[in-house]
Amino acid sequence: MWRDASGSLEERCPGATFATMAGMSEETTPPETNPDFGISYANLASDFHARVGPTPVSDPHLLRLNADLASDLGFSREYLSGPEGVSMLAGNLPLGTADPIATAYAGHQFGNFVQSLGDGRAIQIGETVDGNGTRRDIQLKGAGPTPFSRGGDGRAAVGPVLREYVLSEAMFALGIPTTRALAMVTTGDRVIRERAEPGAILTRVATGFVRVGTFQYFHARGMTDHVRALADYVIERRFPDVSGAPNAYRALLDNVIECQAELIARWLLVGFIHGVMNTDNMSIMGETIDYGPCAFLDEYDVGKVFSSIDHAGRYAYGQQPEIGHWNLTRFAETLLPLLAEEEEIAVESAQEALGAYSARFHQSYHHGLSQKIGLVEASDAAQAIASSLLESMARNRADFTLTFRGLSELRLGDPAGDTNVRALFDEPAAFDAWARDWRDHLGREGRDDSTRNHAMRGTNPAFIPRNHRVQQAIDALANDQDPRPLEALSTVTSRPFEDHPELSEYAAAPETHEVVQQTFCGT
Ligand code: AMP
Ligand code: MG
């Protein structure tokens, strides 16, 4: 686990997509429009992308539509669920007059640099403007081959598409910056993986699909002008405030580092494991992207790995902060020629920027942990008590989500009410010892039970997309055309801080026979 400085902070990344939770509407200015859905990224030089459209599919059917997101993007639900809309979501009809593209990128995969990756199974079909006036890219994942497919079929199977849909929307509902899922369709065609599986296409939406690997692609080829053009594009699109800074590229680096530190802290605070944090899977926009063999923790375990391809645990739960820093260092390297004319000065500047990462991560992480245990002040004492809880949870194989949600119900003067939480620990007495200390702290802060419980329930979700439930939803849909488990799972994970008593089984940890040991990318 990454350890370093401490502190407390509740700043937000400038312009980030943090605050807008599912279902909450904010006061908005009338949206700018982009009626032809033209793609701004296509205005960059031709090396940035290939002009390629989706390959038509035989018999598209809508599996799921995200009606809230559709309306935020200015689409009517009727249109998207009608024959024309479904054809568009399947890649059989264009979106407006936009000319679709696949983008070029490189990336470090498990530490090894690969010069040419790029969108091998994702095609951007358009760009639109959401209700907040933010430009958003619309991409079909599984839309057929592109010049970047390198032998792959460019398609996706229904399982991984469903996983990305559910997990990305769950992350959004948890308040974590992420790409969004607008829709999923089946294609009527089969894709060959371990066996033949129904093909599907995910429509995903992002503040931009620029990755660390996109910068690396041009840096590795010595194309500094292209790196500059890309940096300018990202600044205009995502960090417009930095254009006035004395060194805009350093300010860009600072912002990307800050957002990534905040993002990874938030992952840890809900028990999320990305699973493949290759540099091509890290967005420059500060959003969680490329949901592959990702998963949420059941039992708390910093060394936990689900991904079937992560043999060495490079992307284990507790490794993520450190890997984030490693990836950002690769990003900083691509910016060196822009940071200063003299290399030594550029390197110093990059190091200074990267040096801020750890403190920023720890501020967010410790602040979040303090909130999770109901303490107002993220003091050193709060940090110590949170760490001691986590250590005890790890030793006692306590369920991460249930423990914090359980704590959110406890009362200061009523240790007899701790029954359910202490039962989550192999040795319940270990919890009692910790809870005495915790109650002392709470007593000193003096918040009343109901205020604290309310705040804690708003930060500790009751529901996460548990791996066994995701698997059940996939199996039911793919094998039996039964959408009910998916619907139930979506209901609870789209409002994860509410109790949903009628679906309380979705909050439970898996029974021994239900535990999912591994997750797969399914590419
Ligand atoms: P990912 O594991 O999704 O990050 O993908 C890594 C690289 O492999 C990217 O360049 C993808 O576009 C490419 N890729 C993954 N799956 C496929 C597929 N089914 N067909 C073609 N390319 C793929
Ligand atoms: Mg990827």
Side-chain angles (χ1 to χ4, degrees), residues 208-462:
F209 285 102
V210 181
R211 303 141 189 276
V212 169
T214 320
F215 280 86
Q216 290 181 292
Y217 182 91
F218 297 106
H219 176 69
R221 289 165 175 76
M223 298 165 83
T224 303
D225 286 348
H226 282 49
V227 174
R228 184 178 292 109
L230 185 59
D232 290 341
Y233 177 83
V234 171
I235 289 171
E236 191 185 336
R237 185 88 192 261
R238 174 66 177 83
F239 302 104
D241 293 349
V242 316
S243 55
N247 185 332
Y249 302 118
R250 167 61 196 273
L252 169 66
L253 179 59
D254 289 336
N255 275 271
V256 171
I257 288 171
E258 186 176 341
C259 289
Q260 206 54 236
E262 174 81 31
L263 179 66
I264 295 174
R266 283 164 179 251
W267 288 358
L268 263 55
L269 291 166
V270 295
F272 177 75
I273 310 173
H274 182 284
V276 224
M277 290 175 72
N278 294 334
T279 56
D280 53 301
N281 292 335
M282 185 187 267
S283 168
I284 293 295
M285 307 297 185
E287 293 174 335
T288 313
I289 191 174
D290 279 12
Y291 291 79
C294 51
F296 279 77
L297 287 178
D298 293 307
E299 291 166 1
Y300 179 68
D301 173 2
V302 290
K304 190 70 194 170
V305 173
F306 286 101
S307 167
S308 63
I309 52 173
D310 189 6
H311 306 296
R314 180 180 170 91
Y315 301 137
Y317 170 76
Q319 284 296 110
Q320 298 182 112
E322 207 164 329
I323 283 294
H325 185 267
W326 193 90
N327 288 350
L328 288 164
T329 306
R330 306 287 81 77
F331 174 52
E333 284 164 3
T334 73
L335 293 186
L336 286 177
L338 311 185
L339 291 178
E341 271 175 33
E342 256 182 79
E343 195 184 332
E344 208 176 303
I345 296 174
V347 169
E348 233 170 68
S349 174
Q351 279 171 343
E352 191 182 75
L354 288 161
Y357 173 85
S358 168
R360 179 60 208 238
F361 167 77
H362 281 276
Q363 279 164 345
S364 300
Y365 179 64
H366 288 300
H367 179 80
L369 271 184
S370 302
Q371 284 189 323
K372 284 180 85 68
I373 60 171
L375 293 171
V376 179
E377 269 211 52
S379 59
D380 288 353
Q383 192 175 319
I385 197 155
S387 301
S388 119
L389 173 64
L390 290 174
E391 277 159 31
S392 182
M393 286 167 65
R395 267 199 310 278
N396 287 279
R397 298 183 298 169
D399 184 88
F400 186 78
T401 304
L402 290 177
T403 300
F404 287 105
R405 185 70 175 186
L407 287 182
S408 316
E409 314 288 346
L410 302 190
R411 308 184 75 76
L412 194 55
D414 179 27
D418 295 2
T419 329
N420 292 343
V421 187
R422 67 194 297 281
L424 297 169
F425 288 65
D426 283 349
E427 296 263 7
F431 176 77
D432 301 336
W434 177 83
R436 276 192 292 277
D437 252 7
W438 177 58
R439 283 193 161 88
D440 281 350
H441 273 79
L442 292 179
R444 281 200 284 279
E445 283 204 342
R447 263 207 300 188
D448 65 79
D449 285 333
S450 69
T451 309
R452 186 189 66 255
N453 290 352
H454 179 77
M456 289 174 77
R457 287 165 55 84
T459 194
N460 293 319

Side-chain angles (χ1 to χ4, degrees), residues 99-115:
D99 232 351
I101 58 168
T103 71
Y105 54 83
H108 276 90
Q109 299 192 307
F110 291 91
N112 304 308
F113 188 62
V114 183
Q115 276 231 357

Side-chain angles (χ1 to χ4, degrees), residues 4-29:
D4 199 351
S6 63
S8 71
L9 180 86
E10 178 54 330
E11 277 173 11
R12 294 276 144 90
C13 286
T17 46
F18 288 135
T20 39
M21 304 274 289
M24 269 189 207
S25 61
E26 294 190 338
E27 218 175 278
T28 55
T29 46

Side-chain angles (χ1 to χ4, degrees), residues 105 117-121 149-150 152-155 193 280-281 523:
Y105 54 83
L117 289 166
D119 293 325
R121 56 165 165 173
S149 296
R150 295 169 300 131
D153 60 4
R155 293 297 184 189
R193 295 296 180 259
D280 53 301
N281 292 335
T523 55

